[in-house]
Amino acid sequence: MKKEDKILSIILIAGLFVFIAVADKFFNLYVQRVLNLCAIYTILALSMNLINGFTGLFSLGHAGFMAIGAYMVGIFTVPVEIRPMVYFMKPMHPAIADIEMPFIVALILGGLLSAFIAFLIGAPVLRLRDDYLAIATLGFSEIIRIVITNAQSITNGSLGIKNIPPVANIWWIYITMIISIAFIVLLINSSYGRAFKAIREDEIAAEAMGINLFKHKMMSFMIGAFFAGIGGGLYAALLGTVDPKNFLFVLTYNFLLIIVLGGMGSVSGTIISAYVVTAGQEWLRFLDEPLSIGGIAIPLFRPGFRMVIFSLLLMIIVLFYRDGLMGTREINWEMIKNFGKRFKLRRVKSGEVQ
Amino acid sequence: MTTNSNPLLETQEVTIKFGGLTAVNNLSIEVNKGEIVALIGPNGAGKTTAFNIITGVYAPTKGKVIYDGKDITGLKPDQITRMGVARTFQNIRLFKKLSVWENIMIACHLRLQSNFAGAALRFPKYRAEEKRMREKVHRLIEEFGLSRYQDDQASSLPYGVQRRLEIARALATEPKLLLLDEPAAGMNPKETEELTHFIREIKDKYDLTVLLIEHHMDLVMEISQRIYVLDFGETIAKGTAEEVQNDPKVIEAYLGVEEGA
Ligand SMILES: Nc1ncnc2c1ncn2[C@@H]1O[C@H](COP(=O)(O)OP(=O)(O)OP(=O)(O)O)[C@@H](O)[C@H]1O
Ligand SMILES: [Mg+2]
């Protein structure tokens, strides 16, 4: 990176901090919540893009990895005193009933456990053809929900865990997002990232270049799962409650939509798309509400219609805009500077600036 | 067959069957250090399959592959490449959407010592390694005349340049043995001539041993010390260029194909 670009990046991050401070002080809770969700979905979508877009694997387990992180925070950060109230149907298992952790510890452990589970899934499956990973991860994300629903003395079953201390404020979430993006970008632009891309492009050639396919696929899969766990932990501490229905497969589908829309293999595309899709889904909530115009009920507007719209959107992108917004390109300072120059030039031509 | 008791590469009665088809049968070749050896034969003779066995893409049904005194039969392609065997592909397998520079950088990855955390967090050790890789790639790009294409997508290059890039990429893995699968395919006589010199040049410069598959007979005859001729998976002849050229079995194999065609 050039020195000038480094300075610009620092200014950008500083600007972001100012924005967070302003948002924290002046924005209403609803807007803050949407901004927070956008940031969490950015972490999740980006980590999924690492696996699917940059390494060319086909994993559909992100809702499951997210659930692991979310439950880790849910189970271990609820204060011991109020646990009897939360676990009112069936008391918490004595082995863990007295273990309480600070949020940051539970958050990181959640990420690590996700990565470990990813290892257990990947060890048999990543040696096989790629379609097996899709099937295995799909199965995993269903199984994890069933396990959570039934392990009542640990997870409180289908009642979910309430009263999770909502410590994940906008600072927590945005700082975690910045760290996650930075780590993933640095990784992608390192020799390992190049190896991931090589695997995506041509496995046979990558292997002939001395790249151990299994090891690198596993690495990408585990790192992706780690950040999914982190995203899940933030999610739990943002909402203050988790229950198994938060982690239906449709969530993974959502992330898939984000990365396809933004560009498989583009970090900046994923970030933009995560914000557009997440905020868009909030604003399009009215699609799920019954709607009547002049007393006539419009038949399509009912719960689920929003998802239909998004599915159609996904199909249209896949059919007509394969590359999404960015393809595998990135927005960088060079591009922005050129854009600025072009703009200036045009104004000079039209005589606005002398 | 040679007095040298310690060839760099040796296949011992290697056989591979795909279902009912014996693609390679009892192949025993030796390549000594510093030699250029050619593998020729009509289409479908099993030449590429032999390469795939040597480089670990296929495990042979029977027989052994010995490289540098070690039994490498059944090892995986990346392990074999790490031991110093690099290859190019008959149907060019570049990382199409990546740049020329990235294509060669990827081939340096196998010698990287830093782990992923050290790489992502840019520890000093990684920075030093990355710098060395960049220098190496820069040298290769200059040497292979790829400077003006450096940032171009690999698939956008002219065909001949793609072939050159594939060789550059193979060399970036730091091989002792280089396997070239029809490096002159699709080239005109002038380009073929240039390639012939080029192969000699890099062989000397990088202290390589070369095993190549080729249909351009002028290239084969000019460059290779020894030749093996395959037909329907069988080794029908071996020896120097003249010996092979005058071998009736070889003439028959080639003419046979032409008659059939
Ligand atoms: N994976 C495979 N499965 C089944 N048959 C195969 C496989 N690979 C190669 N073959 C068969 O083995 C035979 C030898 O093929 P190979 O590609 O080695 O020939 P070749 O000598 O390289 O020919 P060419 O000059 O056309 O490249 C062919 O009949 C081919 O169809
Ligand atoms: Mg061939």
Side-chain angles (χ1 to χ4, degrees):
Chain A
M1 211 196 241
K2 281 189 297 185
K3 196 158 175 219
E4 192 187 306
D5 293 354
K6 235 177 222 166
I7 295 168
L8 283 170
S9 303
I10 291 169
I11 293 172
L12 177 76
I13 292 176
L16 193 57
F17 278 127
V18 172
F19 174 77
I20 298 166
V22 170
D24 189 27
K25 274 258 165 352
F26 301 109
F27 288 10
N28 70 40
L29 283 178
Y30 173 71
V31 174
Q32 278 199 31
R33 189 177 147 126
V34 173
L35 284 175
N36 282 332
L37 269 181
C38 289
I40 291 174
Y41 278 28
T42 300
I43 298 173
L44 284 152
L46 194 56
S47 58
M48 185 162 166
N49 209 346
L50 176 68
I51 302 170
N52 292 40
F54 285 96
T55 319
L57 302 174
F58 194 25
S59 163
L60 295 171
H62 244 52
F65 295 125
M66 188 183 171
I68 292 171
Y71 268 89
M72 197 67 150
V73 167
I75 292 166
F76 292 109
T77 66
V78 175
V80 169
E81 329 58 277
I82 64 166
R83 284 186 192 175
M85 192 183 91
V86 175
Y87 289 74
F88 64 90
M89 290 284 281
K90 189 172 183 185
M92 204 171 187
H93 194 280
I96 54 169
D98 293 325
I99 304 174
E100 189 183 323
M101 297 175 191
F103 172 60
I104 180 89
V105 176
L107 185 70
I108 291 170
L109 280 181
L112 292 176
L113 184 62
S114 268
F116 177 68
I117 302 281
F119 171 79
L120 295 184
I121 300 169
V125 166
L126 285 175
R127 293 180 201 277
L128 308 173
R129 277 212 337 266
D130 274 353
D131 356 356
Y132 289 94
L133 185 67
I135 298 164
T137 48
L138 192 66
F140 149 75
S141 72
E142 285 305 296
I143 290 166
I144 193 84
R145 248 175 0 92
I146 294 166
V147 168
I148 288 172
T149 311
N150 289 293
Q152 207 173 359
S153 63
I154 300 170
T155 62
N156 208 25
S158 56
L159 295 168
I161 300 175
K162 300 196 172 53
N163 294 316
I164 301 169
V167 290
N169 59 15
I170 197 163
W171 286 103
W172 263 110
I173 291 172
Y174 273 75
I175 289 174
T176 312
M177 178 184 80
I178 292 169
I179 294 172
S180 307
I181 295 175
F183 185 88
I184 292 175
V185 167
L186 285 167
L187 181 69
I188 286 167
N189 291 321
S190 77
S191 191
Y192 284 93
R194 290 190 291 265
F196 295 162
K197 286 189 237 171
I199 293 172
R200 173 189 73 195
E201 293 296 313
D202 188 335
E203 288 197 3
I204 292 176
E207 206 175 19
M209 292 307 116
I211 294 170
N212 182 332
L213 296 181
F214 178 71
K215 179 180 146 195
H216 287 83
K217 286 178 180 180
M218 184 64 103
M219 192 184 289
S220 166
F221 188 48
M222 286 176 71
I223 295 170
F226 173 84
F227 283 107
I230 296 286
L234 289 174
Y235 186 76
L238 172 70
L239 301 189
T241 93
V242 285
D243 87 68
K245 280 196 294 299
N246 290 141
F247 307 102
L248 292 171
F249 175 68
V250 75
L251 198 60
T252 298
Y253 183 79
N254 233 326
F255 304 141
L256 194 63
L257 174 72
I258 293 173
I259 59 180
V260 171
L261 185 67
M264 302 277 275
S266 170
V267 175
S268 32
T270 305
I271 298 171
I272 295 168
S273 166
Y275 275 78
V276 171
V277 171
T278 312
Q281 282 187 340
E282 279 304 313
W283 290 322
L284 293 178
R285 268 195 195 284
F286 73 90
L287 293 173
D288 277 359
E289 315 280 317
L291 179 79
S292 52
I293 297 175
I296 303 157
I298 309 288
L300 282 173
F301 285 70
R302 66 182 57 159
F305 185 49
R306 205 162 47 119
M307 233 31 241
V308 174
I309 297 283
F310 274 93
S311 302
L312 282 175
L313 191 59
L314 186 60
M315 278 164 64
I316 291 170
I317 299 162
V318 169
L319 287 175
F320 301 108
Y321 306 98
R322 257 303 147 69
D323 287 344
L325 183 64
M326 300 290 296
T328 57
R329 285 163 300 158
E330 294 293 353
I331 294 178
N332 52 33
W333 290 118
E334 211 54 46
M335 226 161 129
I336 294 169
K337 278 185 255 174
N338 285 341
F339 187 77
K341 264 184 221 145
R342 270 217 306 273
F343 189 65
K344 228 177 182 170
L345 218 66
R346 218 176 294 149
R347 292 210 299 176
V348 171
K349 270 190 195 146
S350 61
E352 279 176 51
V353 180
Q354 294 302 326
Chain B
M1 61 179 279
T2 27
T3 46
N4 193 332
S5 58
N6 213 352
L8 184 62
L9 176 75
E10 188 184 359
T11 67
Q12 298 176 345
E13 299 181 0
V14 161
T15 300
I16 189 165
K17 294 192 170 116
F18 295 117
L21 175 85
T22 305
V24 173
N25 197 19
N26 278 326
L27 179 70
S28 296
I29 63 172
E30 281 180 11
V31 183
N32 298 309
K33 200 165 179 325
E35 272 188 316
I36 298 182
V37 174
L39 208 54
I40 65 169
N43 290 119
K47 307 179 295 291
T48 298
T49 305
F51 265 29
N52 283 336
I53 295 170
I54 294 166
T55 57
V57 176
Y58 301 137
T61 315
K62 181 175 96 49
K64 272 190 200 168
V65 182
I66 311 289
Y67 166 74
D68 209 4
K70 289 178 277 279
D71 184 352
I72 61 165
T73 325
L75 290 187
K76 299 188 54 191
D78 60 286
Q79 294 172 306
I80 293 173
T81 306
R82 206 160 304 137
M83 294 170 81
V85 182
R87 73 176 290 184
T88 64
F89 293 90
Q90 184 171 355
N91 319 307
I92 309 185
R93 294 193 91 113
L94 290 168
F95 305 114
K96 292 196 187 67
K97 282 204 212 141
L98 305 182
S99 69
V100 167
W101 179 82
E102 278 178 301
N103 264 276
I104 309 178
M105 281 298 274
I106 286 164
C108 300
H109 181 70
L110 79 170
R111 307 278 170 222
L112 191 78
Q113 305 272 318
S114 301
N115 63 21
F116 79 92
L121 302 176
R122 304 289 192 268
F123 287 171
K125 181 180 162 198
Y126 176 76
R127 280 170 191 266
E129 287 194 281
E130 169 91 12
K131 187 158 169 273
R132 251 178 285 130
M133 289 194 288
R134 281 170 189 263
E135 284 162 4
K136 181 167 114 187
V137 171
H138 189 74
R139 272 200 309 276
L140 279 167
I141 283 182
E142 301 244 292
E143 195 176 332
F144 278 69
L146 295 167
S147 301
R148 53 183 282 230
Y149 303 108
Q150 177 160 327
D151 297 318
D152 294 356
Q153 203 171 304
S155 59
S156 74
L157 305 179
Y159 185 76
V161 181
Q162 292 195 19
R163 287 240 170 252
R164 234 186 308 149
L165 172 57
E166 229 198 356
I167 299 176
R169 188 180 67 168
L171 284 189
T173 65
E174 297 174 12
K176 283 185 259 180
L177 175 66
L178 181 62
L179 308 183
L180 301 172
D181 196 344
E182 303 198 18
M187 290 187 176
N188 62 35
K190 184 171 161 282
E191 287 169 326
T192 308
E193 172 85 33
E194 279 168 15
L195 182 76
T196 312
H197 291 300
F198 189 64
I199 293 173
R200 272 225 189 89
E201 219 178 282
I202 58 169
K203 175 196 166 290
D204 291 338
K205 178 153 184 207
Y206 290 94
D207 197 16
L208 296 171
T209 303
V210 178
L211 176 63
L212 63 87
I213 297 173
E214 197 37 82
H215 283 299
H216 285 69
M217 280 310 140
D218 5 345
L219 188 153
V220 171
M221 296 304 163
E222 188 182 336
I223 210 175
S224 36
Q225 269 109 40
R226 289 184 305 109
I227 298 171
Y228 289 87
V229 189
L230 300 192
D231 190 20
F232 292 114
E234 305 285 344
T235 315
I236 57 167
K238 57 188 177 189
T240 61
E242 292 108 68
E243 284 166 8
V244 163
Q245 253 170 331
N246 300 321
D247 192 311
K249 276 202 238 140
V250 177
I251 296 165
E252 192 193 339
Y254 274 92
L255 289 180
V257 166
E258 259 153 44
E259 268 168 26

